[in-house]
Amino acid sequence: MDAEAQESFREFVANRSSALLKTAVLLSGGDRHAGEDLLQNALIKAAGRWHRIDEPEAYVRQVLYRQQIGRWRLKWRGRELSVAEPPDVGADEEASAAAELRLLMRGALARLTARQRTVLVLRYFEDLPEAEVARILGCSVGTVRSTAHRSLARLRTLAPELRALGPAGAERRPSRDYSPVEVRS
């Protein structure tokens, strides 16, 4: 890699790594260390082809998604979720409610299959259309729709308490913009 390409790669990593890490952590079920590994491997692949990549972020995201798909094929290994000790000082009510929501969501997402989690991340976190998700995952739009539907239903079953923590009236919103924890009638 020449000096100009090296500088371009460094700028890309400095500017986009935090957003890419969020996606990688979500794809890995909330495990920050696994997300960091996923992103690091994707960036290594991108660095090797940097001079041939037209859209670096799209390329790195594609590598993230495909690496996660490759992990589906590995046997599932039981993992422990380590959490820090609760703080000795009391937190304000709003902050503790937000933390509770994050923990509930992380636990529920971790109990989904990697495929279900990936479809939800691509569809709702990345806000990609179903056709784009299907193209990335190499499946049909119908498969994406059915997987998203089953994943949301399972998420609601795994964490029914998310409804109580969500915005009031979320079940009745007519908008197509909805989060994975919302109930649609």
Side-chain angles (χ1 to χ4, degrees):
M1 184 183 299
D2 64 6
E4 183 180 325
Q6 201 170 28
E7 182 60 30
S8 171
F9 180 73
R10 283 187 181 138
E11 284 180 29
F12 171 76
V13 171
N15 293 333
R16 299 303 305 151
S17 63
S18 64
L20 292 168
L21 180 59
K22 287 178 185 175
T23 300
V25 169
L26 286 171
L27 287 171
S28 61
D31 184 348
R32 183 170 175 89
H33 298 293
E36 289 170 349
D37 289 345
L38 192 65
L39 179 58
Q40 183 176 4
N41 290 335
L43 290 173
I44 288 169
K45 287 185 180 189
R49 299 173 180 248
W50 191 252
H51 62 282
R52 291 180 278 175
I53 299 174
D54 294 329
E55 295 181 39
E57 185 162 354
Y59 180 85
V60 172
R61 287 182 184 278
Q62 184 81 11
V63 172
L64 285 173
Y65 306 144
R66 291 186 185 257
Q67 283 182 3
Q68 185 60 33
I69 290 169
R71 290 181 180 189
W72 293 343
R73 295 183 180 107
L74 297 175
K75 271 195 156 183
W76 180 84
R77 297 181 310 237
R79 294 184 183 164
E80 287 186 26
L81 178 64
S82 58
V83 294
E85 292 292 321
D88 292 333
V89 292
D92 67 332
E93 196 170 306
E94 188 175 313
S96 64
E100 182 181 350
L101 177 61
R102 281 193 308 274
L103 288 173
L104 286 170
M105 182 58 93
R106 176 186 283 177
L109 283 173
R111 291 169 53 196
L112 295 176
T113 66
R115 183 176 189 95
Q116 289 173 325
R117 192 170 45 248
T118 301
V119 167
L120 290 180
V121 168
L122 292 175
R123 188 72 183 96
Y124 301 108
F125 179 76
E126 294 289 326
D127 199 28
L128 295 177
E130 291 167 338
E132 181 68 12
V133 175
R135 186 190 65 75
I136 289 170
L137 298 179
C139 61
S140 70
V141 172
T143 300
V144 170
R145 286 180 183 155
S146 63
T147 302
H149 177 76
R150 284 191 311 273
S151 303
L152 289 172
R154 181 141 188 251
L155 195 61
R156 289 182 199 107
T157 302
L158 292 172
E161 54 276 344
L162 288 173
R163 289 185 199 162
L165 294 174
E171 302 87 70
R172 296 182 194 91
R173 254 193 276 164
S175 164
R176 294 230 33 198
D177 290 338
Y178 58 94
S179 68
V181 295
E182 232 177 86
V183 177
R184 306 263 309 174
S185 330

